[in-house]
Short mmCIF file of all heavy atoms in Angstrom, two decimals:
data_model
loop_
_atom_site.label_atom_id
_atom_site.label_comp_id
_atom_site.label_asym_id
_atom_site.label_seq_id
_atom_site.Cartn_x
_atom_site.Cartn_y
_atom_site.Cartn_z
N GLU A 70 -55.97 -19.88 -0.91
CA GLU A 70 -55.83 -18.99 0.10
C GLU A 70 -55.26 -19.58 1.36
O GLU A 70 -54.36 -18.96 2.06
CB GLU A 70 -57.21 -18.35 0.51
CG GLU A 70 -57.78 -17.42 -0.61
CD GLU A 70 -59.07 -16.86 -0.27
OE1 GLU A 70 -59.86 -17.48 0.52
OE2 GLU A 70 -59.40 -15.71 -0.74
N GLN A 71 -55.60 -20.78 1.73
CA GLN A 71 -55.07 -21.45 2.91
C GLN A 71 -53.58 -21.77 2.72
O GLN A 71 -52.84 -21.61 3.63
CB GLN A 71 -55.84 -22.76 3.16
CG GLN A 71 -55.31 -23.52 4.33
CD GLN A 71 -55.30 -22.77 5.66
OE1 GLN A 71 -56.25 -21.87 5.88
NE2 GLN A 71 -54.34 -23.08 6.49
N THR A 72 -53.22 -22.19 1.51
CA THR A 72 -51.78 -22.43 1.29
C THR A 72 -50.96 -21.13 1.41
O THR A 72 -49.87 -21.05 1.95
CB THR A 72 -51.62 -23.04 -0.21
OG1 THR A 72 -52.33 -24.29 -0.18
CG2 THR A 72 -50.11 -23.30 -0.49
N LEU A 73 -51.44 -20.10 0.78
CA LEU A 73 -50.82 -18.71 0.91
C LEU A 73 -50.67 -18.32 2.44
O LEU A 73 -49.77 -17.76 2.80
CB LEU A 73 -51.60 -17.66 0.11
CG LEU A 73 -51.50 -17.73 -1.40
CD1 LEU A 73 -52.39 -16.76 -2.07
CD2 LEU A 73 -49.98 -17.51 -1.74
N ARG A 74 -51.75 -18.59 3.12
CA ARG A 74 -51.66 -18.21 4.52
C ARG A 74 -50.59 -19.06 5.27
O ARG A 74 -49.78 -18.43 6.04
CB ARG A 74 -53.09 -18.64 5.18
CG ARG A 74 -53.14 -18.43 6.65
CD ARG A 74 -54.37 -19.17 7.27
NE ARG A 74 -54.51 -18.83 8.66
CZ ARG A 74 -55.38 -19.50 9.52
NH1 ARG A 74 -56.17 -20.42 8.95
NH2 ARG A 74 -55.47 -19.25 10.76
N GLU A 75 -50.41 -20.19 4.98
CA GLU A 75 -49.38 -21.00 5.56
C GLU A 75 -47.91 -20.58 5.15
O GLU A 75 -47.02 -20.48 5.90
CB GLU A 75 -49.60 -22.56 5.35
CG GLU A 75 -50.81 -23.06 6.00
CD GLU A 75 -50.94 -24.57 5.82
OE1 GLU A 75 -49.87 -25.23 5.63
OE2 GLU A 75 -52.06 -25.08 5.83
N ILE A 76 -47.88 -20.34 3.83
CA ILE A 76 -46.59 -19.91 3.22
C ILE A 76 -46.20 -18.59 3.86
O ILE A 76 -44.94 -18.38 4.21
CB ILE A 76 -46.71 -19.72 1.79
CG1 ILE A 76 -46.79 -21.06 1.07
CG2 ILE A 76 -45.54 -18.95 1.21
CD1 ILE A 76 -47.03 -21.08 -0.36
N CYS A 77 -47.07 -17.68 4.17
CA CYS A 77 -46.70 -16.29 4.76
C CYS A 77 -46.16 -16.59 6.13
O CYS A 77 -45.19 -15.86 6.57
CB CYS A 77 -47.92 -15.46 4.76
SG CYS A 77 -48.47 -14.79 3.30
N SER A 78 -46.74 -17.49 6.92
CA SER A 78 -46.19 -17.83 8.25
C SER A 78 -44.78 -18.46 8.15
O SER A 78 -43.90 -18.07 8.86
CB SER A 78 -47.15 -18.71 9.07
OG SER A 78 -48.24 -17.96 9.58
N SER A 79 -44.65 -19.43 7.28
CA SER A 79 -43.38 -20.14 7.19
C SER A 79 -42.27 -19.27 6.74
O SER A 79 -41.05 -19.44 7.01
CB SER A 79 -43.53 -21.44 6.28
OG SER A 79 -43.82 -21.01 4.97
N ALA A 80 -42.63 -18.22 5.88
CA ALA A 80 -41.60 -17.37 5.36
C ALA A 80 -40.91 -16.49 6.43
O ALA A 80 -39.80 -15.97 6.20
CB ALA A 80 -42.22 -16.40 4.23
N THR A 81 -41.52 -16.34 7.59
CA THR A 81 -40.90 -15.65 8.69
C THR A 81 -39.78 -16.32 9.43
O THR A 81 -39.02 -15.82 10.14
CB THR A 81 -41.98 -15.33 9.69
OG1 THR A 81 -42.42 -16.53 10.42
CG2 THR A 81 -43.13 -14.61 9.12
N GLY A 82 -39.67 -17.66 9.10
CA GLY A 82 -38.70 -18.53 9.79
C GLY A 82 -39.17 -19.13 11.08
O GLY A 82 -38.35 -19.75 11.79
N PHE A 83 -40.41 -18.90 11.40
CA PHE A 83 -40.97 -19.41 12.68
C PHE A 83 -41.39 -20.76 12.61
O PHE A 83 -42.20 -21.16 11.71
CB PHE A 83 -42.13 -18.41 13.10
CG PHE A 83 -42.73 -18.90 14.46
CD1 PHE A 83 -42.07 -18.69 15.63
CD2 PHE A 83 -44.03 -19.47 14.49
CE1 PHE A 83 -42.65 -19.07 16.73
CE2 PHE A 83 -44.57 -19.81 15.66
CZ PHE A 83 -43.84 -19.56 16.90
N ASP A 84 -40.80 -21.63 13.42
CA ASP A 84 -41.24 -23.11 13.46
C ASP A 84 -40.96 -23.65 14.90
O ASP A 84 -40.60 -22.89 15.73
CB ASP A 84 -40.40 -23.96 12.35
CG ASP A 84 -38.82 -23.68 12.66
OD1 ASP A 84 -38.42 -23.40 13.66
OD2 ASP A 84 -38.23 -23.86 11.49
N VAL A 85 -41.17 -25.03 14.96
CA VAL A 85 -41.01 -25.61 16.26
C VAL A 85 -39.51 -25.46 16.77
O VAL A 85 -39.30 -25.27 18.01
CB VAL A 85 -41.43 -27.13 16.17
CG1 VAL A 85 -41.13 -27.76 17.56
CG2 VAL A 85 -42.87 -27.25 15.78
N GLU A 86 -38.58 -25.55 15.93
CA GLU A 86 -37.19 -25.38 16.37
C GLU A 86 -36.97 -23.95 16.93
O GLU A 86 -36.18 -23.90 17.97
CB GLU A 86 -36.20 -25.58 15.16
CG GLU A 86 -36.06 -27.07 14.59
CD GLU A 86 -37.34 -27.48 13.85
OE1 GLU A 86 -38.11 -26.66 13.38
OE2 GLU A 86 -37.40 -28.75 13.65
N VAL A 87 -37.61 -23.07 16.47
CA VAL A 87 -37.47 -21.66 17.01
C VAL A 87 -37.98 -21.65 18.38
O VAL A 87 -37.42 -21.13 19.37
CB VAL A 87 -38.15 -20.62 16.19
CG1 VAL A 87 -38.42 -19.29 16.95
CG2 VAL A 87 -37.42 -20.35 14.86
N LEU A 88 -39.27 -22.35 18.65
CA LEU A 88 -39.77 -22.36 19.99
C LEU A 88 -38.95 -23.09 20.89
O LEU A 88 -38.78 -22.77 22.09
CB LEU A 88 -41.24 -22.99 19.80
CG LEU A 88 -42.23 -22.09 19.22
CD1 LEU A 88 -43.59 -22.96 18.93
CD2 LEU A 88 -42.61 -20.98 20.13
N GLU A 89 -38.30 -24.25 20.47
CA GLU A 89 -37.48 -25.07 21.37
C GLU A 89 -36.19 -24.33 21.87
O GLU A 89 -35.67 -24.67 22.79
CB GLU A 89 -37.14 -26.29 20.67
CG GLU A 89 -38.24 -27.27 20.43
CD GLU A 89 -37.97 -28.42 19.55
OE1 GLU A 89 -36.98 -28.37 18.76
OE2 GLU A 89 -38.69 -29.47 19.77
N SER A 90 -35.83 -23.30 21.09
CA SER A 90 -34.53 -22.59 21.38
C SER A 90 -34.73 -21.30 22.14
O SER A 90 -33.81 -20.57 22.36
CB SER A 90 -33.74 -22.35 20.10
OG SER A 90 -34.40 -21.49 19.25
N ASN A 91 -36.02 -20.95 22.45
CA ASN A 91 -36.32 -19.71 23.09
C ASN A 91 -37.03 -19.87 24.41
O ASN A 91 -37.62 -20.88 24.61
CB ASN A 91 -37.20 -18.78 22.27
CG ASN A 91 -36.40 -18.08 21.08
OD1 ASN A 91 -35.95 -16.96 21.33
ND2 ASN A 91 -36.35 -18.71 20.00
N VAL A 92 -36.95 -18.85 25.32
CA VAL A 92 -37.74 -18.84 26.46
C VAL A 92 -39.22 -18.83 25.96
O VAL A 92 -39.55 -18.12 25.01
CB VAL A 92 -37.45 -17.69 27.38
CG1 VAL A 92 -38.48 -17.44 28.45
CG2 VAL A 92 -36.06 -17.82 28.03
N LEU A 93 -40.21 -19.48 26.67
CA LEU A 93 -41.49 -19.51 26.25
C LEU A 93 -42.48 -18.93 27.31
O LEU A 93 -42.22 -19.14 28.47
CB LEU A 93 -41.88 -21.05 26.00
CG LEU A 93 -41.17 -21.80 24.91
CD1 LEU A 93 -41.69 -23.20 24.86
CD2 LEU A 93 -41.32 -21.07 23.55
N ILE A 94 -43.55 -18.32 26.79
CA ILE A 94 -44.58 -17.80 27.62
C ILE A 94 -45.83 -18.67 27.26
O ILE A 94 -46.23 -18.74 26.15
CB ILE A 94 -44.90 -16.33 27.40
CG1 ILE A 94 -43.68 -15.54 27.53
CG2 ILE A 94 -45.96 -15.85 28.33
CD1 ILE A 94 -43.87 -14.00 27.23
N VAL A 95 -46.43 -19.31 28.16
CA VAL A 95 -47.59 -20.24 27.99
C VAL A 95 -48.79 -19.85 28.75
O VAL A 95 -48.63 -19.54 29.92
CB VAL A 95 -47.15 -21.66 28.37
CG1 VAL A 95 -48.33 -22.66 28.08
CG2 VAL A 95 -45.91 -22.18 27.58
N PHE A 96 -49.88 -19.69 28.08
CA PHE A 96 -51.11 -19.30 28.79
C PHE A 96 -52.29 -19.79 28.07
O PHE A 96 -52.19 -20.25 26.84
CB PHE A 96 -51.17 -17.75 28.94
CG PHE A 96 -51.12 -16.99 27.71
CD1 PHE A 96 -52.26 -16.47 27.05
CD2 PHE A 96 -49.94 -16.72 27.08
CE1 PHE A 96 -52.21 -15.84 25.84
CE2 PHE A 96 -49.85 -16.08 25.80
CZ PHE A 96 -51.01 -15.50 25.27
N LEU A 97 -53.48 -19.79 28.75
CA LEU A 97 -54.68 -20.27 28.11
C LEU A 97 -55.41 -19.01 27.53
O LEU A 97 -55.41 -17.90 27.99
CB LEU A 97 -55.70 -20.95 29.07
CG LEU A 97 -55.10 -22.21 29.69
CD1 LEU A 97 -56.15 -22.82 30.63
CD2 LEU A 97 -54.67 -23.27 28.66
N TYR A 98 -56.14 -19.29 26.39
CA TYR A 98 -56.95 -18.22 25.72
C TYR A 98 -58.17 -18.88 25.12
O TYR A 98 -58.04 -19.91 24.43
CB TYR A 98 -56.08 -17.55 24.60
CG TYR A 98 -56.81 -16.52 23.84
CD1 TYR A 98 -57.23 -15.31 24.48
CD2 TYR A 98 -57.20 -16.65 22.59
CE1 TYR A 98 -57.82 -14.35 23.80
CE2 TYR A 98 -57.85 -15.67 21.78
CZ TYR A 98 -58.23 -14.56 22.45
OH TYR A 98 -58.97 -13.57 21.79
N GLN A 99 -59.36 -18.21 25.42
CA GLN A 99 -60.54 -18.79 24.83
C GLN A 99 -60.76 -18.26 23.45
O GLN A 99 -60.83 -17.05 23.17
CB GLN A 99 -61.72 -18.38 25.72
CG GLN A 99 -61.72 -19.10 27.03
CD GLN A 99 -63.12 -19.10 27.72
OE1 GLN A 99 -64.05 -18.35 27.34
NE2 GLN A 99 -63.24 -19.82 28.80
N MET A 100 -61.04 -19.19 22.55
CA MET A 100 -61.28 -18.78 21.14
C MET A 100 -62.05 -19.95 20.49
O MET A 100 -61.96 -21.16 20.87
CB MET A 100 -59.97 -18.55 20.38
CG MET A 100 -59.08 -19.74 20.33
SD MET A 100 -57.48 -19.32 19.44
CE MET A 100 -58.08 -18.99 17.79
N ASN A 101 -62.77 -19.53 19.36
CA ASN A 101 -63.49 -20.52 18.67
C ASN A 101 -62.56 -21.11 17.59
O ASN A 101 -62.12 -20.53 16.69
CB ASN A 101 -64.70 -19.83 17.91
CG ASN A 101 -65.57 -20.77 17.20
OD1 ASN A 101 -65.19 -21.54 16.26
ND2 ASN A 101 -66.88 -20.79 17.58
N TRP A 102 -62.34 -22.48 17.75
CA TRP A 102 -61.37 -23.16 16.92
C TRP A 102 -61.90 -23.26 15.51
O TRP A 102 -61.09 -23.13 14.49
CB TRP A 102 -61.09 -24.50 17.46
CG TRP A 102 -59.83 -25.10 16.91
CD1 TRP A 102 -59.72 -26.28 16.17
CD2 TRP A 102 -58.45 -24.70 17.07
NE1 TRP A 102 -58.41 -26.51 15.83
CE2 TRP A 102 -57.61 -25.50 16.39
CE3 TRP A 102 -57.91 -23.59 17.71
CZ2 TRP A 102 -56.28 -25.38 16.32
CZ3 TRP A 102 -56.57 -23.38 17.70
CH2 TRP A 102 -55.68 -24.29 16.94
N HIS A 103 -63.16 -23.41 15.25
CA HIS A 103 -63.76 -23.52 13.97
C HIS A 103 -63.56 -22.13 13.22
O HIS A 103 -63.18 -22.25 12.03
CB HIS A 103 -65.25 -23.86 14.03
CG HIS A 103 -65.91 -23.85 12.67
ND1 HIS A 103 -66.57 -22.79 12.11
CD2 HIS A 103 -66.04 -24.95 11.71
CE1 HIS A 103 -66.93 -23.11 10.95
NE2 HIS A 103 -66.71 -24.42 10.75
N ASP A 104 -63.68 -21.08 13.85
CA ASP A 104 -63.46 -19.82 13.23
C ASP A 104 -61.96 -19.59 12.84
O ASP A 104 -61.66 -19.08 11.80
CB ASP A 104 -63.86 -18.70 14.09
CG ASP A 104 -65.39 -18.55 14.30
OD1 ASP A 104 -66.08 -19.20 13.54
OD2 ASP A 104 -65.80 -17.82 15.31
N PHE A 105 -61.11 -20.09 13.73
CA PHE A 105 -59.63 -20.04 13.51
C PHE A 105 -59.32 -20.84 12.22
O PHE A 105 -58.54 -20.32 11.34
CB PHE A 105 -58.77 -20.50 14.62
CG PHE A 105 -57.30 -20.65 14.40
CD1 PHE A 105 -56.49 -19.58 14.29
CD2 PHE A 105 -56.80 -21.86 14.25
CE1 PHE A 105 -55.22 -19.59 13.98
CE2 PHE A 105 -55.45 -22.08 13.95
CZ PHE A 105 -54.66 -20.93 13.88
N LEU A 106 -59.82 -22.01 12.13
CA LEU A 106 -59.53 -22.93 10.98
C LEU A 106 -60.17 -22.39 9.67
O LEU A 106 -59.62 -22.70 8.57
CB LEU A 106 -59.91 -24.29 11.25
CG LEU A 106 -59.25 -25.13 12.37
CD1 LEU A 106 -59.86 -26.50 12.58
CD2 LEU A 106 -57.75 -25.15 12.12
N SER A 107 -61.28 -21.64 9.82
CA SER A 107 -61.89 -21.13 8.60
C SER A 107 -61.28 -19.90 8.11
O SER A 107 -61.56 -19.42 7.01
CB SER A 107 -63.37 -20.82 9.06
OG SER A 107 -64.05 -21.91 9.56
N VAL A 108 -60.34 -19.32 8.84
CA VAL A 108 -59.61 -17.96 8.38
C VAL A 108 -58.77 -18.39 7.16
O VAL A 108 -58.07 -19.44 7.24
CB VAL A 108 -58.85 -17.42 9.52
CG1 VAL A 108 -57.94 -16.33 8.92
CG2 VAL A 108 -59.84 -16.82 10.48
N HIS A 109 -58.79 -17.66 6.15
CA HIS A 109 -57.92 -17.85 4.97
C HIS A 109 -56.96 -16.73 4.70
O HIS A 109 -56.21 -16.69 3.79
CB HIS A 109 -58.74 -18.30 3.81
CG HIS A 109 -59.42 -19.52 3.89
ND1 HIS A 109 -58.81 -20.71 4.16
CD2 HIS A 109 -60.79 -19.76 3.78
CE1 HIS A 109 -59.80 -21.66 4.22
NE2 HIS A 109 -60.95 -21.09 3.99
N ASP A 110 -57.12 -15.62 5.51
CA ASP A 110 -56.37 -14.41 5.29
C ASP A 110 -55.23 -14.30 6.32
O ASP A 110 -55.50 -14.35 7.49
CB ASP A 110 -57.29 -13.21 5.32
CG ASP A 110 -56.63 -11.87 4.84
OD1 ASP A 110 -55.41 -11.84 4.84
OD2 ASP A 110 -57.32 -10.96 4.57
N HIS A 111 -53.99 -14.20 5.82
CA HIS A 111 -52.83 -14.08 6.72
C HIS A 111 -53.01 -12.79 7.57
O HIS A 111 -52.48 -12.79 8.77
CB HIS A 111 -51.55 -13.98 5.91
CG HIS A 111 -50.31 -13.89 6.75
ND1 HIS A 111 -49.98 -14.78 7.64
CD2 HIS A 111 -49.40 -12.88 6.75
CE1 HIS A 111 -48.79 -14.37 8.20
NE2 HIS A 111 -48.51 -13.25 7.62
N ASN A 112 -53.63 -11.73 7.13
CA ASN A 112 -53.81 -10.55 8.00
C ASN A 112 -54.59 -10.91 9.20
O ASN A 112 -54.41 -10.24 10.31
CB ASN A 112 -54.46 -9.50 7.21
CG ASN A 112 -53.54 -8.89 6.10
OD1 ASN A 112 -52.36 -8.69 6.35
ND2 ASN A 112 -54.14 -8.60 4.95
N ASP A 113 -55.50 -11.76 9.11
CA ASP A 113 -56.26 -12.17 10.34
C ASP A 113 -55.32 -12.85 11.34
O ASP A 113 -55.50 -12.68 12.58
CB ASP A 113 -57.44 -13.12 10.00
CG ASP A 113 -58.48 -12.43 9.18
OD1 ASP A 113 -58.71 -11.15 9.44
OD2 ASP A 113 -59.15 -13.01 8.31
N ASP A 114 -54.43 -13.71 10.89
CA ASP A 114 -53.42 -14.29 11.76
C ASP A 114 -52.56 -13.17 12.49
O ASP A 114 -52.31 -13.32 13.66
CB ASP A 114 -52.45 -15.17 10.93
CG ASP A 114 -53.17 -16.54 10.58
OD1 ASP A 114 -54.11 -16.85 11.23
OD2 ASP A 114 -52.64 -17.15 9.77
N ILE A 115 -52.26 -12.23 11.71
CA ILE A 115 -51.38 -11.06 12.27
C ILE A 115 -52.16 -10.41 13.43
O ILE A 115 -51.64 -10.06 14.46
CB ILE A 115 -50.97 -10.11 11.21
CG1 ILE A 115 -49.89 -10.75 10.28
CG2 ILE A 115 -50.39 -8.86 11.81
CD1 ILE A 115 -49.54 -9.84 9.05
#
Side-chain angles (χ1 to χ4, degrees):
E70 291 180 333
Q71 178 59 31
T72 299
L73 285 172
R74 176 192 183 191
E75 293 183 30
I76 287 174
C77 286
S78 283
S79 65
T81 67
F83 181 68
D84 54 24
V85 178
E86 286 78 13
V87 165
L88 286 169
E89 290 173 334
S90 61
N91 280 270
V92 169
L93 300 178
I94 308 174
V95 180
F96 59 99
L97 297 183
Y98 178 69
Q99 289 199 353
M100 61 183 293
N101 187 300
W102 197 244
H103 178 268
D104 289 347
F105 171 74
L106 294 178
S107 300
V108 167
H109 297 300
D110 190 339
H111 180 60
N112 289 322
D113 291 330
D114 284 341
I115 291 176

